[in-house]
Amino acid sequence: YKAKYQRLQTMLGEDPVVIEWFEKKRPNLSKLGAEELFDEIESFEEDREPEVVHEWDDGWKIVKLATRTQIWNEGDALDNCLQKESSYSEGYCRDALSGKSEFFSLRDPDDNSVISIQWTPGNREPEQVYGAGNREPHEDEANRIGEWAKKRGGVYTGGRYQGLDGDERRIAEHIHETYGDDGDDLRYVARRWGEIFSVSDAKEWMDAVGPHGYEEASIYESAGLDASESKLLP
């Protein structure tokens, strides 16, 4: 039986859903053809309910999305890039099944998906936290996610700086406080500045070329100019 199990792993890889199906169902592999085998696994996966990892007294909860079907259903419910048709979906599924990243869903008392969450193990904060159509969480939703994150030993500070840490976060905070940029654009711009400059240099260059002038600043610096000299240019 162990030899059959090893052959199955060779055929289908280390997919945890396959392993769970095999261990729980103990199938007679000699009676299953290839097509029947995949049908059995697919049926098992579709029937598998997401694991509840946190629950509130009013019926709200957070569940872990651990199978392709669960991830695809989440994407369909919230019309985001987890849905099967998305070009990102297969990569997300691979990350989830390999343990490289974890995916969760904030659900209301009727078990409707409200917020999708991606969190890489070892990170202090989730990378992506979005509702339907990639909207930012509302205040109550953010508070619930923050409470859950704290119990996991992490933190959730809201959509503005999510996924940013270290110099990138300090640059983003400076941009928001000084120029008022927000949302996805803020995170993207902060990352671009952080790829090229230290926090102090980024602040000086922003004063010269504006918060979106990272490419211009990079060209000037490559030419040997500093931020104060760039202000003299036409």
Side-chain angles (χ1 to χ4, degrees), residues 8 12 17-18 20-22 24-29 31-48:
L8 179 66
L12 301 176
V17 176
V18 175
E20 183 180 346
W21 164 78
F22 188 84
K24 287 185 176 180
K25 297 296 186 180
R26 306 291 286 183
N28 185 342
L29 298 180
K31 294 185 177 180
L32 290 175
E35 187 173 341
E36 294 172 312
L37 177 65
F38 283 107
D39 287 344
E40 287 277 339
I41 295 171
E42 184 176 325
S43 177
F44 174 79
E45 182 175 348
E46 289 176 351
D47 293 338
R48 188 177 182 219

Side-chain angles (χ1 to χ4, degrees), residues 101-231:
S101 195
E102 294 181 311
F103 295 84
F104 303 90
S105 175
L106 175 67
R107 303 280 176 89
D108 67 17
D110 295 321
D111 201 36
N112 296 311
S113 299
V114 178
I115 300 289
S116 298
I117 304 162
Q118 180 187 6
W119 198 336
T120 298
N123 284 4
R124 184 167 176 263
E125 189 170 6
E127 289 83 14
Q128 299 195 74
V129 182
Y130 293 120
N134 288 334
R135 69 167 176 81
E136 298 287 353
H138 300 317
E139 184 177 358
D140 176 63
E141 297 160 354
N143 289 338
R144 291 180 186 274
I145 296 168
E147 179 185 333
W148 166 68
K150 186 176 181 180
K151 289 191 175 182
R152 279 173 54 93
V155 64
Y156 175 62
T157 55
R160 182 173 296 139
Y161 305 124
Q162 72 179 35
L164 299 178
D165 207 351
D167 286 354
E168 290 180 352
R169 188 182 187 91
R170 288 190 283 275
I171 291 171
E173 290 171 348
H174 173 74
I175 295 172
H176 178 71
E177 292 167 3
T178 308
Y179 304 100
D181 289 0
D182 209 347
D184 287 339
D185 185 56
L186 171 65
R187 293 192 290 274
Y188 174 78
V189 170
R191 288 191 177 103
R192 292 303 303 273
W193 279 107
E195 290 171 358
I196 308 168
F197 300 101
S198 67
V199 176
S200 58
D201 287 346
K203 290 179 179 180
E204 288 185 14
W205 277 107
M206 282 183 219
D207 185 46
V209 298
H212 292 81
Y214 44 84
E215 291 183 352
E216 185 179 359
S218 178
I219 293 171
Y220 285 151
E221 179 146 299
S222 298
L225 297 174
D226 62 29
S228 60
E229 291 172 323
S230 73
K231 295 179 183 180

